[in-house]
């Protein structure tokens, strides 16, 4: 039986992780889990720590864990999160050669490879999965980054046939296409219920609201997310985007994002666009002066 299925014993900790309830995952009581699920549960807890900004602590604690592919993959992911992308990539590439059938290697290795721009390698690894919804969700994200919504939806529709009630499939489905109202319902249900509310679900709700043109509601959801976690980078990044649309100042949230996550893709994109604008302005000024 799939431990992540509706009948599986890892369902609650798995859902909590993907709802962004990282402290709940870290504190989760694993005493009732069978021995076969001890490692997947521990991996989720370590990933929750990394997602909470504790990559260095995870690296320090991994010496106590077995030197298995699962924990080596976690180490590589923590190294990437701690800013050591080159070392992390090297570790992942070795794991791909020796343990590419391991689900944790596929998910965390695929995440690192995609993050460093090795998209084809990431997809090649992820497509080796044997029914992993996390691997499918990552494939969906990669296709969306490639602007291949058709391929992303194809992955979700295939998963829907055998994992119809999965939270992760519902979330993945909400990322693609133009069914923004449907996406809003998914994230609103998670964001507004006290047992599942977290910055991650509030940001998802805000993005759906933004696409629906409901800007005040989007702003309220993002403010809620930042109140819950003032250092949530996605809440801050989306606040910058919303402020641009609303014509509000972006200097303060941009500075916050730079301090927390200097390599965030939004900052890189803004810097690139600023440089292109400056180049164009110079050419224009030169023509006027002549």
């Amino acid at each position: 039986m799939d431990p992540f299925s509706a009948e599986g014993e890892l369902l609650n900790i798995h859902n909590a992780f993907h709802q962004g309830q990282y402290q709940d995952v870290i504190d989760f009581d694993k005493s009732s889990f069978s021995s076969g699920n001890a490692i997947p549960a521990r991996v989720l807890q370590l990933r929750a720590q990394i997602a909470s900004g504790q990559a260095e602590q995870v690296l320090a604690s991994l010496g106590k864990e077995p030197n298995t592919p699962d924990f080596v993959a976690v180490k590589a992911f923590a190294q990437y999160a701690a800013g050591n992308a080159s070392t992390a990539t090297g570790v992942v590439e070795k794991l791909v050669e020796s343990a590419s059938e391991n689900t944790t290697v596929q998910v965390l290795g695929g995440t690192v490879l995609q993050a460093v721009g090795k998209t084809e390698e990431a997809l090649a690894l992820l497509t080796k999965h044997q029914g992993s919804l996390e691997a499918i969700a990552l494939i969906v994200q990669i296709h969306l980054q490639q602007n291949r919504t058709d391929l992303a939806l194809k992955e979700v529709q295939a998963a829907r046939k055998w994992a119809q009630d999965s939270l992760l499939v519902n979330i993945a489905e909400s990322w693609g296409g133009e069914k923004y109202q449907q996406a809003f319902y998914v994230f609103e249900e998670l964001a507004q219920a006290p047992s599942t509310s977290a910055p991650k679900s509030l940001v998802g709700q805000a993005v759906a609201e933004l696409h629906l043109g409901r800007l005040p509601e989007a702003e309220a959801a993002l403010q809620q997310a930042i109140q819950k976690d003032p250092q949530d980078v996605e809440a801050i990044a989306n606040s910058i985007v919303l402020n641009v649309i609303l014509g509000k100042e972006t200097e303060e949230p941009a500075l916050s994002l730079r301090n927390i996550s200097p390599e965030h893709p939004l900052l890189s994109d803004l810097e690139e666009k600023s440089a292109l604008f400056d180049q164009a302005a110079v050419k224009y000024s030169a023509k006027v002066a002549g």
Side-chain angles (χ1 to χ4, degrees):
M1 180 178 65
D2 180 0
F4 298 118
S5 69
E7 297 80 22
E9 62 183 3
L10 293 180
L11 176 68
N12 290 336
I13 189 172
H14 188 253
N15 281 355
F17 179 83
H18 290 290
Q19 287 161 190
Q21 297 174 292
Y22 299 126
Q23 193 58 51
D24 289 350
V25 175
I26 294 167
D27 296 336
F28 208 95
D29 181 8
K30 308 191 307 295
S31 61
S32 63
F33 290 161
S34 63
S35 58
N37 286 325
I39 288 179
R42 180 61 180 148
V43 166
L44 282 172
Q45 290 185 316
L46 292 169
R47 289 173 62 190
Q49 283 187 262
I50 295 169
S52 300
Q54 300 172 25
E56 296 289 355
Q57 292 93 316
V58 169
L59 288 170
S61 70
L62 280 170
K64 303 174 185 176
E65 305 292 352
N67 191 33
T68 62
D70 293 272
F71 292 113
V72 175
V74 171
K75 182 178 182 180
F77 186 54
Q79 287 170 330
Y80 175 79
N84 199 341
S86 177
T87 300
T89 305
V91 173
V92 168
E93 288 174 342
K94 289 181 180 179
L95 281 171
V96 170
E97 295 175 1
S98 61
S100 62
E101 303 302 319
N102 179 284
T103 301
T104 305
V105 171
Q106 292 166 358
V107 171
L108 298 187
T111 301
V112 171
L113 290 171
Q114 173 63 11
V116 299
K118 294 179 177 288
T119 298
E120 294 307 316
E121 292 91 332
L123 285 172
L125 177 60
L126 288 164
T127 52
K128 292 185 177 183
H129 76 87
Q130 297 293 319
S132 166
L133 290 174
E134 277 203 275
I136 291 169
L138 282 170
I139 292 169
V140 169
Q141 286 188 332
I142 291 172
H143 286 323
L144 290 173
Q145 289 176 22
Q146 296 174 316
N147 291 320
R148 290 301 307 270
T149 308
D150 56 327
L151 295 179
L153 289 175
K154 184 178 178 181
E155 287 287 338
V156 172
Q157 288 164 0
R160 175 68 71 191
K161 293 177 181 177
W162 56 270
Q164 186 169 356
D165 297 324
S166 166
L167 170 67
L168 197 50
V169 172
N170 287 338
I171 292 174
E173 189 172 41
S174 72
W175 295 331
E178 297 183 356
K179 297 180 179 180
Y180 301 126
Q181 189 65 45
Q182 182 178 328
F184 166 74
Y185 289 139
V186 170
F187 287 113
E188 184 200 34
E189 183 178 357
L190 294 173
Q192 301 308 319
S195 61
T196 58
S197 182
K200 190 172 185 178
S201 53
L202 284 161
V203 171
Q205 178 186 334
V207 171
E209 299 270 28
L210 197 156
H211 280 292
L212 290 164
R214 302 197 292 241
L215 303 187
E217 291 86 349
E219 187 174 29
L222 288 172
Q223 287 172 350
Q224 262 189 282
I226 292 172
Q227 285 172 1
K228 282 181 174 289
D229 182 1
Q231 294 195 317
D232 187 280
V233 294
E234 296 311 317
I236 297 169
N238 280 281
S239 293
I240 295 171
V241 173
L242 183 59
N243 282 5
V244 170
I245 295 171
L246 292 172
K248 296 185 176 182
E249 70 87 21
T250 60
E251 186 175 342
E252 184 178 341
L255 180 61
S256 296
L257 185 60
R258 194 174 303 280
N259 289 336
I260 299 166
S261 181
E263 303 298 322
H264 193 279
L266 177 63
L267 295 176
S268 301
D269 188 52
L270 289 173
E271 289 171 3
E272 181 184 351
K273 297 296 189 295
S274 178
L276 290 171
F277 178 82
D278 290 342
Q279 290 174 16
V282 168
K283 292 178 182 177
Y284 180 76
S285 298
K287 289 181 179 179
V288 171

